[in-house]
Amino acid sequence: MTARIGVVTFPGTLDDRDTQRAVRVAGAEAVPLWHRDKDLKQVDAVVLPGGFSYGDYLRAGAISRFSPVMESVIEQAKAGMPVLGICNGFQVLTETHLLPGAMLRNNHLHFICRDQKLRVETNSTAWTADYETGQEISIPLKNIDGRYVADERTLDMLEAEGRVAFRYLDVNPNGSLRDIAGITNEAGNVVGLMPHPEHAVEPLIGTGRTDGLGFFTSILKKLVDAR
Amino acid sequence: MARVVVDVMLKPEILDPQGQAVQRALPRLGFQGISDVRQGKRFELEVDGPVDEAALARIHEMAETFLANTVIEDFVVKVEGAEEPAASVAEAK
């Protein structure tokens, strides 16, 4: 039996199908989860995919945070269940305060959609174990609310504790403080990032590379090893 | 029915590119003399029943947990028509 990875669909989610596919390409079972359903169907991990949940009304991720499914996700994440938030999912994770800081409108106010070079800053999270620390990857980035902000104390803490998980390389696409593209919680089970690994898992599409597949093989390996 | 207003503003240290874009457009449109613009949100709440201390405490809780993200934003709760902002409530906690 393989690992079961839940993928949440909110109203306005866009990337749930691609994320389910990425999970399957990695060899795990993708389990669709619905925002109004508190039942996590006994999944081993959860991915919050990208999109514009609840129309980004109020703030990106602000309303999704209070959905029934998130009650269960927050509770399980605090108990150690691996959770990955991609793009809008990252915004949801900061709104829940499972991850520190917040996401704001890009400093240039434009929507951007392009391939983005990143450095994996730590492979000691549930979602990055298959990468080398310091490895450079290129995966798609597409958002308008991608500017990561936190106060100086929080940023210093993240750096000191090795919790900056991904940093933008070559160019900072949105004004994120300290070029931060993604972070992890203290335990390493909750990870969020703005770029989209699920769009880069097969050579035929996207960048033509499979740089994003490591997220999904990392979690699969961890879950299978834990059995 | 009474109205309570919640004003939400980005904290002063947070960059506000939307406000900057508005400010930069002003001279072009013939509005001189504005050196800075910060853009925020205003929520007008129609409250059933009296706006007493308990009602204001609930609204404060609503603002803190939902209307504002206090990681990046400050908020002020005001009872419309009242002389002073409901400072005691806004500063509670």
Side-chain angles (χ1 to χ4, degrees):
Chain A
M1 210 185 86
T2 184
R4 289 162 54 84
I5 300 179
V7 179
V8 175
T9 300
F10 298 102
T13 294
L14 301 177
D15 299 323
D16 42 347
R17 300 291 291 272
D18 272 25
T19 305
Q20 290 168 19
R21 182 168 174 80
V23 166
R24 288 194 299 269
V25 168
E29 182 188 349
V31 180
L33 299 175
W34 183 235
H35 69 114
R36 282 166 74 176
D37 211 346
K38 276 179 83 165
D39 180 13
L40 296 186
K41 301 182 182 168
Q42 295 175 313
V43 294
D44 305 300
V46 165
V47 183
L48 306 175
F52 297 89
S53 59
Y54 296 91
D56 276 355
Y57 297 151
L58 189 59
R59 295 177 304 277
I63 297 176
S64 330
R65 170 201 168 182
F66 293 101
S67 61
V69 75
M70 283 308 299
E71 267 180 58
S72 309
V73 169
I74 292 168
E75 190 187 308
Q76 293 296 312
K78 285 179 176 165
M81 181 184 72
V83 177
L84 174 67
I86 302 167
C87 194
N88 190 221
F90 184 19
Q91 293 159 343
V92 173
L93 289 176
T94 59
E95 282 285 339
T96 60
H97 307 301
L98 283 171
L99 293 174
M103 308 305 305
L104 280 167
R105 187 61 46 102
N106 295 341
N107 59 350
H108 46 71
L109 301 177
H110 295 288
F111 190 96
I112 33 170
C113 179
R114 60 186 177 87
D115 297 335
Q116 174 69 44
K117 210 160 153 194
L118 304 176
R119 187 168 54 235
V120 181
E121 297 282 20
T122 172
N123 68 353
S124 53
T125 82
W127 300 92
T128 57
D130 264 1
Y131 295 99
E132 302 291 330
T133 294
Q135 187 175 338
E136 297 181 4
I137 62 174
S138 181
I139 60 177
L141 176 73
K142 45 164 198 168
N143 62 61
I144 191 163
D145 287 316
R147 174 165 52 111
Y148 180 77
V149 298
D151 58 36
E152 286 295 309
R153 227 182 82 223
T154 304
L155 293 169
D156 288 342
M157 175 193 76
L158 290 172
E159 305 263 15
E161 294 178 359
R163 290 170 53 191
V164 175
F166 310 94
R167 233 184 278 265
Y168 296 115
L169 281 184
D170 296 342
V171 62
N172 182 329
N174 46 33
S176 288
L177 296 177
R178 306 203 190 174
D179 300 334
I180 289 173
I183 56 174
T184 174
N185 68 345
E186 209 175 343
N189 63 311
V190 180
V191 171
L193 80 165
M194 285 315 291
H196 289 262
E198 82 283 14
H199 294 328
V201 298
E202 289 172 297
L204 273 178
I205 54 167
T207 54
R209 303 162 59 137
T210 57
D211 289 9
L213 189 60
F215 284 76
F216 304 96
T217 53
S218 295
I219 190 64
L220 179 59
K221 216 172 277 178
K222 182 187 165 65
L223 293 171
V224 171
D225 286 352
R227 295 241 168 96
Chain B
M1 219 156 44
R3 174 177 287 181
V4 175
V5 173
V6 181
D7 285 320
V8 177
M9 292 296 296
L10 281 176
K11 292 185 177 191
E13 67 270 24
I14 303 282
L15 176 73
D16 175 17
Q18 293 184 93
Q20 287 179 344
V22 171
Q23 192 269 334
R24 279 197 304 270
L26 292 177
R28 197 157 36 85
L29 302 173
F31 300 103
Q32 311 295 338
I34 306 296
S35 60
D36 191 27
V37 174
R38 307 275 297 169
Q39 181 178 318
K41 294 187 189 119
R42 171 187 166 100
F43 299 87
E44 298 182 344
L45 312 174
E46 306 297 336
V47 183
D48 297 332
V51 181
D52 51 15
E53 214 165 293
L56 281 172
R58 286 292 287 165
I59 290 170
H60 183 273
E61 187 189 341
M62 178 204 309
E64 188 168 46
T65 55
F66 186 46
L67 300 182
N69 178 350
T70 55
V71 173
I72 45 171
E73 295 166 325
D74 294 324
F75 66 90
V76 180
V77 178
K78 282 181 262 184
V79 182
E80 194 147 279
E83 296 285 298
E84 296 291 313
S88 59
V89 176
E91 284 163 18
K93 279 183 103 171

